[in-house]
Amino acid sequence: MALTTFIRKSGLKILALAPLDEVEYRVVLYLMNCYASGLKSIATDPSDLELLLGIEYNKLTAALNHL
């Protein structure tokens, strides 16, 4: 789904109401930024995201599993 379609269909409102914790929101916003920046695909693993976002590996993997 295109980011503009997501926004038009109240995707940001739904995201704002989702019961996510801080780490989950950081991951979602990072991925949305990658998409908005024009990246067509993203190949990464939790250890890469750990370095990029500065989040402990255990917290990050728990957030990814919850999402």
Side-chain angles (χ1 to χ4, degrees):
M1 173 185 309
L3 189 59
T4 53
T5 303
F6 176 78
I7 293 169
R8 270 191 248 119
K9 292 188 175 193
S10 297
L12 293 177
K13 181 179 180 181
I14 293 167
L15 185 58
L17 297 173
L20 302 177
D21 67 19
E22 178 186 348
V23 175
E24 292 163 346
Y25 275 115
R26 288 179 66 188
V27 171
V28 169
L29 291 173
Y30 172 75
L31 294 173
M32 287 177 66
N33 182 67
C34 288
Y35 181 79
S37 297
L39 296 176
K40 298 298 181 196
S41 64
I42 183 169
T44 190
D45 59 29
S47 60
D48 290 340
L49 284 175
E50 176 187 21
L51 293 173
L52 287 169
L53 300 176
I55 299 170
E56 292 178 27
Y57 184 83
N58 293 337
K59 289 181 181 180
L60 184 59
T61 54
L64 291 171
N65 286 330
H66 184 251
L67 290 171

